[in-house]
Amino acid sequence: MPDLTRRDLFKTGAAVAAARAAPAVEAEPAKAISGIAASPQPEIRERLKFDFGWKFHLGHAGDPAKDFGYGRNLDSFAKAGFNIAACAMLDFDDAGWAAVDLPHDWAMELPYMPPKHPPPSGAANSDDPAAGHGYKPLGRDWPENSVGWYRRVFEIPQGDRGKRIAVEFDGVFRDAAVTINGYLIARNQSGYASFCADLTDFLDYGGKNVLCVRVDATLGEGWFYEGAGIYRHVWLTKTDALHVPQWGTFVHSDIVDGAAELTIETDVRNDGMTARNFALAWQIFDPAGRVVAQATTPTASIGSLSSRTLVRRVRLENPALWSLETPQLYRLVSRVIDAGRAVDDYAVDFGLRTVRFDPEKGFFLNGRPVKLNGTCNHQDHAGVGTAVPDRLQYWRVERLKEFGCNATRMAHNPPAPELLDACDRLGMLVVDETRRMSSDPESLDELSRMLKRDRNHPSIILWSIGNEEPQQGTERGARIAASIVARVRELDPTRPLCAAINDPAAWESAYARLLDVVGANYLTGFIRPFHRRNPQRTIIGTETGSTVATRGIYRRDPASGYCVAYDTEHPWWANTAEEWLRVVAPAPYIAGGFVWTGFDYHGEPTPFNRWPNTVSQFGVMDLCGFPKDNYYYYKAWWRPEPLLHLFPHWNWTPGETVCVWCHSNLDAVELFVNGESHGVRKVPRFGHAEWNVTFAPGVIEARGYQNGVTVATDRRETAGPAARVVLAADRTEIDADGEDVCVVAATVTDAQGRMVPDAGHRISFELSGPGKIVGVGNGDPRSVEPERTPVRSAFNGLCSAIVQADRRAGEIVVRAVASGLVGDAITVSAKRTAVRPFVP
């Protein structure tokens, strides 16, 4: 292959970008104006939520008779609109189908099942493929569960004739076939790639229409839980034939001498049959909603069924920069003007910041060094699987930030758009990763869609083009990577890119030399010698610590399927938290590291890939977001405030020797058992304090010292018998919009309010008022209880429920009831709010 260096590819990308921009209409520089109190004008285009009122039914991957005739007729694809499937037609009776709202993950509604073909006794843990997806009965062995059909009947008014009408899918897992009124109009393979289908030609105006989507989750794309169904949002858009297409605006900037030099690229599409004359007007709104710049292009022409790209350059003085502490966002509104009338508008949020990686000094945000204290995360959560409500996306980011995490790597696929919105608004840095590292047309198209969709998000600091690829050290891999890198440079020449590589030899390969940042998966001990040999290369730990731990477990018993919660156990390829942080944190040339993982996740149940282990144990938090003890280890070293966390609990057998740990960032910690000192331990940098003591019922207490002064204490008391359930919600007021949620935690306590550390009572959640329970969980990695019911056993004293409001205002009362325990109730107010426009 040609010797393409990273600089060559930067030039290639710039050349492609220049060629793409060549036919653009370039106007005078936009006029920056003093802040004028304003807000974006009402939207001209309609973008309607298309999530409510669907019908769902399982099909069949192997029997056409049970799959509504799909594929039975050999002429199904011979004549458009004919013989696709009975349920794709408007007159089909779907009275027996289940009513569902989107997002929807039907795998969560399936029972956990042992594998039909278990690996032979004595085989390695990784030999059970059914474990990867968490023992949900999907795939080739379960054709009766692996296909789902969605139907939605809706009306299009006669007045919409002449508009362009499309449906946008943020994510469908997997292999989606989209029909409208019996016409097959779109296919999409990947469950992670957003896509759009134009409905315009196939609609009945002034009448009813039926949108039908067949989803085939037989084949997977990952070795982790992936769910099944239309698990992200769906939107119906209505525009003029002359309009800005989906993802048609790109705003990028340079910060020079305290001013922001913006480049705005806007695509305009004419889907009409005649040429049009148009102008494009831009307005930029600052974080306070004031207009700070505006401009209009000269009138230009555009041919029928064609596109143009228009470029504008804007200078903003004293811009408000996006940062971790102040994640400020601007908004650009582009309006298409025809004969003096605005016929379309398109709004996009963006942020102004600088990003730089230095091979000696690490990562810089806005010129300030920032150590990337990151976690990798899959996209599922207890109770809801991959169909994560928007508010829960924010809740998860908030939980990460609480222990000092400032960056998240999307593992291993493009995320839901709302998760990126949460990172933008809350101040969380992002490594955005494509799902499939290949240069075939389908893979490059999926990559392009990710880039176009996500490139305006200021939170994204790196594109990742691969993860532990088998081709990562090969000449073929370098050829493939070169094509991918060229596409990235073409569509976003502003951001660096990386790949996660788990072979130190491949860090120095032709493949790695194409990257701006080398991503090291584990093997942190090899980073220092790599840096000595390659001082000009920038490196980051894309996966670092992989402690496996079970919340609340402190006795080691591999036969139990649980891991201890001390920072002591990890797979052979990985490191504990202390091991990796001691290497990465003090080294300025390592930009940072990403823990595998922030949350436990369904599937890949390492280290016990055997039934009934259904959940990974890698998380700093469990599947519900309850902290494990390592949460406090990271909080101690990633946050500045003094911290002291003492564990384990204090319920043991009298006379038993107990290993007591304390995570702290203080100088020293002293341990007391029932008032008697067991000595002072210095806390090593990035380490912990530890004692072995004999259990006696009562109290253990840790006192943390800084410069000889007590600045923090923590204690654990012996709990008595379980007596009650105590409820707490993360928020007691939510929006009555049919979407908003709160997370309700249930704790089993004794009569004095102390959590009972081994409580496993079965708790029933009862709800009254304008809402519903959409999922439950407890963080037990071996649990096979259903997650879409209002009943859940506590695990080591805790479980949780996710409560969602409907569109009625009022008081939602959640009660917890358990046999032999005093129950509890809390009230969550669902307040009236403006509802996002939706398809009725």
Side-chain angles (χ1 to χ4, degrees):
M1 62 169 288
D3 184 17
L4 291 177
T5 65
R6 291 185 302 123
R7 287 193 179 90
D8 292 327
L9 285 172
F10 267 125
K11 293 176 183 176
T12 301
V16 174
R20 182 181 53 150
V25 174
E26 178 64 62
E28 296 297 320
K31 181 181 180 182
I33 56 179
S34 300
I36 300 173
S39 59
Q41 296 178 15
E43 291 186 2
I44 301 164
R45 70 167 54 201
E46 292 183 73
R47 191 169 192 256
L48 307 175
K49 202 75 177 291
F50 210 174
D51 286 352
F52 305 120
W54 289 75
K55 290 293 194 74
F56 172 78
H57 202 286
L58 286 174
H60 201 287
D63 186 347
K66 298 177 181 178
D67 201 31
F68 305 99
Y70 183 79
R72 166 172 279 176
N73 293 305
L74 295 181
D75 60 354
S76 292
F77 294 94
K79 301 294 182 182
F82 177 70
N83 268 346
I84 288 294
C87 59
M89 308 309 293
L90 183 62
D91 59 0
F92 178 80
D93 182 5
D94 61 11
W97 289 36
V100 299
D101 291 333
L102 308 179
H104 177 245
D105 175 3
W106 87 70
M108 276 287 101
E109 298 163 1
L110 300 175
Y112 291 100
M113 297 288 287
K116 286 186 174 181
H117 306 289
S121 178
N125 273 350
S126 60
D127 287 345
D128 189 353
H133 284 202
Y135 290 107
K136 285 294 186 176
L138 291 166
R140 297 292 294 274
D141 287 343
W142 307 93
E144 67 274 22
N145 299 327
S146 298
V147 169
W149 286 87
Y150 293 85
R151 271 176 55 90
R152 179 65 158 84
V153 176
F154 63 105
E155 294 188 16
I156 292 292
Q158 188 67 240
D160 282 346
R161 188 181 294 274
K163 296 180 180 179
R164 301 306 298 185
I165 301 176
V167 58
E168 299 176 358
F169 295 89
D170 286 346
V172 181
F173 196 89
R174 170 185 192 277
D175 192 6
V178 181
T179 68
I180 181 71
N181 296 328
Y183 287 81
L184 180 66
I185 59 169
R187 298 291 298 268
N188 188 70
Q189 291 185 22
S190 176
Y192 304 102
S194 301
F195 67 101
C196 180
D198 193 326
L199 309 179
T200 307
D201 292 347
F202 310 97
L203 293 168
D204 289 328
Y205 295 88
K208 291 183 177 181
N209 299 267
V210 60
L211 182 67
C212 195
V213 184
R214 182 183 187 268
V215 183
D216 189 343
T218 301
L219 302 180
E221 297 181 55
W223 50 98
F224 40 84
Y225 178 84
E226 300 184 281
I230 308 178
Y231 72 99
R232 293 178 183 169
H233 292 307
V234 180
W235 308 87
L236 188 72
T237 62
K238 301 179 182 181
T239 69
D240 190 87
L242 183 65
H243 62 280
V244 178
Q246 184 184 34
W247 312 322
T249 299
F250 180 29
V251 184
H252 46 102
S253 63
D254 292 308
I255 309 298
V256 180
D257 298 329
E261 302 281 357
L262 275 64
T263 299
I264 302 169
E265 301 179 33
T266 302
D267 299 331
V268 176
R269 173 74 187 171
N270 179 13
D271 281 319
M273 295 301 179
T274 59
R276 302 272 290 268
N277 294 323
F278 75 100
L280 193 61
W282 287 280
Q283 280 188 310
I284 296 176
F285 297 82
D286 71 7
R290 300 171 300 184
V291 178
V292 292
Q294 56 189 4
T296 303
T297 67
T299 300
S301 63
I302 184 170
S304 64
L305 304 176
S306 62
S307 300
R308 294 196 67 168
T309 299
L310 290 85
V311 180
R312 169 70 68 241
R313 290 176 177 85
V314 179
R315 181 179 175 91
L316 296 180
E317 300 291 343
N318 302 311
L321 298 185
W322 186 94
S323 69
L324 296 170
E325 299 79 18
T326 56
Q328 303 185 84
L329 296 174
Y330 286 76
R331 169 164 286 199
L332 171 72
V333 177
S334 304
R335 293 186 177 86
V336 182
I337 311 296
D338 181 11
R341 182 175 66 91
V343 297
D344 185 46
D345 61 0
Y346 190 89
V348 64
D349 293 334
F350 65 96
L352 304 174
R353 86 288 183 273
T354 63
V355 166
R356 178 168 65 90
F357 284 87
D358 185 280
E360 289 293 339
K361 299 179 181 179
F363 172 72
F364 289 77
L365 179 66
N366 299 327
R368 183 173 64 90
V370 175
K371 198 75 168 186
L372 295 175
N373 299 326
T375 60
C376 302
N377 291 285
H378 284 304
Q379 63 176 356
D380 62 298
H381 192 85
V384 294
T386 57
V388 178
D390 293 358
R391 167 56 199 165
L392 192 56
Q393 303 280 19
Y394 282 77
W395 184 88
R396 284 166 62 89
V397 174
E398 291 165 353
R399 295 295 281 168
L400 294 172
K401 287 180 68 73
E402 284 173 6
F403 69 86
C405 176
N406 62 15
T408 182
R409 174 173 168 236
M410 303 302 177
H412 299 288
N413 48 263
E418 292 73 26
L419 177 52
L420 293 176
D421 290 341
C423 292
D424 286 348
R425 285 163 172 74
L426 297 175
M428 176 70 72
L429 301 169
V430 172
V431 178
D432 202 354
E433 189 162 279
T434 190
R435 171 73 291 274
R436 187 167 51 176
M437 195 203 120
S438 181
S439 56
D440 65 88
E442 178 71 21
S443 296
L444 286 178
D445 182 60
E446 292 169 7
L447 171 70
S448 298
R449 282 181 267 161
M450 178 189 81
L451 295 166
K452 290 179 180 178
R453 190 196 71 171
D454 297 349
R455 60 190 176 178
N456 288 304
H457 288 279
S459 56
I460 298 174
I461 59 171
L462 275 171
W463 301 115
S464 174
I465 66 169
N467 174 72
E468 299 182 356
E469 303 297 332
Q471 58 201 342
Q472 62 192 3
T474 68
E475 188 268 344
R476 179 188 291 119
R479 273 186 276 127
I480 292 170
S483 295
I484 295 172
V485 170
R487 181 64 59 90
V488 175
R489 305 293 193 219
E490 173 192 353
L491 294 176
D492 181 14
T494 72
R495 286 180 178 86
L497 54 83
C498 71
I501 305 173
N502 63 337
D503 177 2
W507 298 350
E508 302 182 62
S509 65
Y511 168 79
R513 288 196 296 273
L514 296 166
L515 308 173
D516 306 308
V517 178
V518 176
N521 272 16
Y522 311 108
L523 305 167
T524 51
F526 290 85
I527 294 179
R528 185 175 299 168
F530 169 81
H531 176 68
R532 284 198 298 264
R533 293 190 304 272
N534 303 273
Q536 80 287 1
R537 300 306 312 276
T538 302
I539 192 164
I540 190 171
T542 37
E543 289 178 29
T544 53
S546 280
T547 301
V548 283
T550 310
R551 176 181 55 78
I553 298 294
Y554 302 98
R555 288 192 181 101
R556 191 173 191 279
D557 179 12
S560 70
Y562 298 123
C563 300
V564 295
Y566 303 108
D567 183 30
T568 56
E569 299 186 14
H570 62 81
W572 65 267
W573 66 82
N575 310 103
T576 64
E578 292 188 14
E579 288 170 347
W580 84 265
L581 204 58
R582 285 172 178 160
V583 173
V584 172
Y589 58 85
I590 306 176
F594 290 78
V595 181
W596 187 266
T597 51
F599 294 86
D600 283 348
Y601 52 94
H602 293 91
E604 197 182 19
T606 310
F608 305 110
N609 290 281
R610 288 290 187 276
W611 173 263
N613 300 281
T614 60
V615 173
S616 84
Q617 300 193 39
F618 288 118
V620 177
M621 294 172 281
D622 71 16
L623 192 64
C624 297
F626 292 122
K628 303 181 189 179
D629 293 294
N630 261 12
Y631 171 101
Y632 300 97
Y633 172 78
Y634 287 111
K635 190 173 184 178
W637 301 112
W638 284 357
R639 293 189 62 88
E641 58 268 17
L643 182 135
L644 199 65
H645 172 68
L646 180 66
F647 62 103
H649 58 75
W650 205 235
N651 279 57
W652 302 95
T653 304
E656 181 177 358
T657 298
V658 180
C659 184
V660 176
W661 280 33
C662 190
H663 288 317
S664 181
N665 51 14
L666 301 175
D667 293 340
V669 180
E670 186 172 9
L671 179 69
F672 293 84
V673 179
N674 294 326
E676 179 183 348
S677 175
H678 280 249
V680 177
R681 301 285 190 271
K682 290 185 177 180
V683 181
R685 186 76 172 152
F686 309 117
H688 70 279
E690 182 177 340
W691 302 259
N692 286 311
V693 299
T694 301
F695 172 72
V699 180
I700 56 172
E701 181 178 289
R703 298 176 188 172
Y705 303 116
Q706 194 76 23
N707 299 321
V709 178
T710 303
V711 296
T713 62
D714 197 16
R715 57 192 281 139
R716 298 288 176 265
E717 299 181 14
T718 304
R724 59 169 66 263
V725 181
V726 177
L727 295 180
D730 73 306
R731 297 184 302 154
T732 56
E733 185 176 271
I734 60 178
D735 291 337
D737 60 0
E739 301 181 65
D740 202 5
V741 300
C742 65
V743 180
V744 177
T747 305
V748 179
T749 73
D750 67 6
Q752 284 71 46
R754 296 172 293 217
M755 187 183 82
V756 179
D758 60 352
H761 297 72
R762 190 170 174 82
I763 297 174
S764 296
F765 294 96
E766 300 174 353
L767 184 145
S768 60
K772 61 184 177 181
I773 293 170
V774 295
V776 295
N778 62 10
D780 181 354
R782 289 172 58 83
S783 176
V784 293
E785 293 180 288
E787 297 181 53
R788 297 299 302 272
T789 67
V791 180
R792 190 67 165 181
S793 298
F795 176 65
N796 290 335
L798 299 170
C799 63
S800 68
I802 299 170
V803 174
Q804 187 172 60
D806 59 30
R807 291 195 291 272
R808 299 170 296 159
E811 302 295 301
I812 302 171
V813 179
V814 183
R815 297 179 176 83
V817 178
S819 178
L821 304 181
V822 177
D824 195 12
I826 58 170
T827 299
V828 177
S829 296
K831 70 179 189 297
R832 193 173 306 281
T833 189
V835 177
R836 287 191 283 192
F838 62 92
V839 178

